[in-house]
Amino acid sequence: PVELYTGRINLNRPERAKETDIIIFTKENFDTYPNLMATDLSFKKQVQISDAAPQQNQFLWGTAELISWRSLDGIVLEGTLHKPANFDPNKKYPMIVNFYEKSSQELLNYHMPENHRSTVDYHYYTSNGYVIFNPDVHYKEGYPGESAFNCVMPGVNAVVALGFIDEKRIGAQGHSWGGYQVAYLATRTDMFAAIESG
């Protein structure tokens, strides 16, 4: 195999034109909308051929990164940490913990701002000075609540240890399966200023 193109991006499957060597594809990450791109088989020169989200330039967007910690069971876990635009590590930010099974694989996915019934809108909160933490949960069969506690709480503590979270303003949100688990967390810890279980 020959590496043609790489980056901190999520690429879709390229599609080749029927009678020429032109390829179209999209690339995305947290702050890059998956516009259509065109290139040839070398991938050396890429041309953007759509501009489907020009309104993004009018908003403070924020950033997304991957973090790692160890669960209470000793399992190495990952999660995504979404920070406000113009993030200042010397400030203290409120944080929302939002989870549903595993989300670290979505680090490089673009999220269009939207009202949603089952999750938080990342951009609404990051543009208003919040950090959003999405921890992965490794489940032990028969113990979903305890599994969530064992994975989420050390992850929250790992983020707090970074020094930029206001410990008195941490909330948690979950919907459906995640809603059950945040309700369970409410019975085990008083770390959260508010919990929303949908």
Side-chain angles (χ1 to χ4, degrees), residues 50-84:
S50 72
D51 187 14
Q55 69 277 10
Q56 179 177 330
N57 296 330
Q58 301 170 30
F59 297 94
L60 296 172
W61 211 252
T63 61
E65 63 191 66
L66 202 61
I67 67 162
S68 180
W69 69 97
R70 200 172 284 277
S71 75
L72 295 178
D73 304 312
I75 300 166
V76 175
L77 296 170
E78 293 181 318
T80 58
L81 193 63
H82 304 267
K83 296 178 182 174

Side-chain angles (χ1 to χ4, degrees), residues 7-8 16 42 45 54 61 68 74 85-86 92-93 116 120 127 145 148 173 177 181 192:
R8 196 173 174 271
R16 183 176 175 182
S42 73
K45 182 181 177 192
W61 211 252
S68 180
N86 307 317
K92 295 285 188 181
Y93 293 90
H116 205 284
V120 297
S127 67
Q173 189 275 341
W177 180 234
Q181 290 162 80
F192 300 107

Side-chain angles (χ1 to χ4, degrees), residues 149-167:
F149 181 85
N150 290 346
C151 295
V152 172
M153 297 314 296
V156 171
N157 289 329
V159 176
V160 168
L162 297 173
F164 50 78
I165 299 300
D166 181 346
E167 295 180 57

Side-chain angles (χ1 to χ4, degrees), residues 98-101 116-120 172-183 196-198:
N98 175 54
F99 64 94
Y100 188 95
E101 297 181 359
H116 205 284
R117 68 180 181 84
S118 61
T119 190
V120 297
Q173 189 275 341
H175 180 81
S176 186
W177 180 234
Y180 158 76
Q181 290 162 80
V182 294
E196 186 271 326
S197 176

Side-chain angles (χ1 to χ4, degrees), residues 6 12 37 63 71 74 79 96 99 109-110 114 124 177 188-189 195 198:
T6 186
N12 79 337
M37 307 293 291
T63 61
S71 75
I96 297 175
F99 64 94
N109 289 4
Y110 181 87
E114 64 176 331
Y124 176 80
W177 180 234
R188 295 284 309 273
T189 180
I195 290 179

Side-chain angles (χ1 to χ4, degrees), residues 38-52:
T39 189
D40 61 19
L41 293 176
S42 73
F43 272 76
K44 286 187 175 152
K45 182 181 177 192
Q46 300 163 25
V47 178
Q48 182 175 320
I49 57 175
S50 72
D51 187 14

